Each structure stands twice: as C-alpha cells, then as structure tokens.
Amino acid sequence: MFIVLEFLTVATWSPYLAGAGIGVLSCLAFLLSDRPLGCSTAFVKASGLIGKSFNAKKTAVMDYYREIIPQADWALMVIPGIMIGAFISVLLSGQFHLAWVPSLWEQSFGPSPLLRVVVALAGGILLGFGARWAGGCTSGHGINGSIQLSLASMVTAACFFAGGIAVALLLFRVIGGA
C-alpha cells in the first residue's frame, strides 16, 4: 500500500507507465462498451443536453444529435473524470498552486490575464472545431485509432502533433520571441 501511495504522490509519472495505463483503459472501454475512449464526444453530448433544456423538439430532430445522442453516459463523464483526477493528482503531489498566467506565457507575452484567457478560449474553440471536423480528438484518433491500426487515425494524429508543434513554435518563437 505504501508503494502505491508513494507512486501517487510524485510530481511526474513515468510516461511509459501512464501510456500502458491508458492502453489498458482503452482496451477495457472497447471490451465493456464496444466504444473507443475519447473526449470530444463528451462536449457534443453536453451541448446536446443544453440544447434539449432550451428547445427539446428542435434538438431531437437535428441529424447530428440523432447520430450522437445527448445523454449522461460514461462518455460524458470522461471530462469531469479527467478534471477531478487531475485535481486529486496535483493535490497528492503537493504541486497545487493558482496562476492565471503561467510563467512561460508571462515571459513571452506579458502578465495580462485577459490576453491569456482570450487566447486560451480561442484555442479551445479551434481545438473543438478541429476535433469534430476530424471525427474525433487526439485521444480518439491517436490512441484508439492506433490500437485498431487505422491509417486515417494515424495520419490524423500525426497532423495533430505537427499542428501543435507549428503553433507552439509560432507563438513562442516568432510572436512571443522567447
């Protein structure tokens, strides 16, 4: 028990062990629910549930919500689970601190929390749009698609990483000049 508690309190986990855990979790998701593990569907289900609370009839006839049914199931609970798990992890490791502006961002773009929030919001919207356009998020394509040996998912995951690297270089080397 002490070894498990010691493992949970370290600041960074082994990427190999974490990757193996994600692989096991993905296999369990397929085995128990016949569905891949992913995050972007959770946001779609949440927006559908919000739409149903305002106009249930209109939401019910939308083709998109006939394919992805807005309901509170395990796929929707992935997002709160990630947030709660991350919070517990940062508390156990003793690394918790509040910061509106991360230090790397502040060095490159200054201390403005408003700029950070606006850029983060714009990035989140673009990420969500791209994930739905690609038919899934990085975890859906990169992990589950690779497990299924899907060439389309592997190409999509490679494009996600290439795009992320390009945007990071653009932001922090060209625009921010860090």
Side-chain angles (χ1 to χ4, degrees):
M1 181 64 179
F2 180 72
I3 294 172
V4 172
L5 190 56
E6 185 178 326
F7 172 74
L8 293 175
T9 59
V10 296
T12 56
W13 291 7
S14 161
Y16 305 109
L17 198 54
I22 291 170
V24 169
L25 183 62
S26 295
C27 290
L28 284 173
F30 274 121
L31 181 68
L32 298 174
S33 68
D34 198 28
R35 289 198 41 162
L37 185 63
C39 297
S40 60
T41 303
F43 291 107
V44 173
K45 288 178 181 257
S47 70
L49 287 171
I50 292 168
K52 281 173 67 173
S53 68
F54 287 105
N55 192 341
K57 289 179 184 177
K58 182 178 179 182
T59 304
V61 298
M62 293 177 75
D63 290 337
Y64 195 69
Y65 292 122
R66 287 183 181 175
E67 180 184 338
I68 300 174
I69 299 167
Q71 59 187 1
D73 59 2
W74 74 265
L76 178 65
M77 295 297 114
V78 167
I79 300 299
I82 290 170
M83 294 187 325
I84 292 167
F87 183 70
I88 291 170
S89 177
V90 77
L91 284 179
L92 288 175
S93 69
Q95 301 293 312
F96 180 76
H97 67 279
L98 293 174
W100 278 98
V101 180
S103 59
L104 179 61
W105 181 270
E106 186 173 357
Q107 291 170 6
S108 298
F109 301 102
S112 171
L114 179 62
L115 176 63
R116 174 69 173 132
V117 169
V118 167
V119 172
L121 183 62
I125 290 169
L126 289 172
L127 183 76
F129 178 73
R132 294 317 313 153
W133 190 13
C137 58
T138 50
S139 60
H141 282 293
I143 297 167
N144 299 302
S146 297
I147 288 172
Q148 298 175 68
L149 301 176
S150 165
L151 180 60
S153 286
M154 290 181 201
V155 170
T156 301
C159 290
F160 283 146
F161 279 100
I165 291 168
V167 169
L169 288 173
L170 178 69
L171 279 176
F172 289 104
R173 296 278 169 92
V174 176
I175 298 172

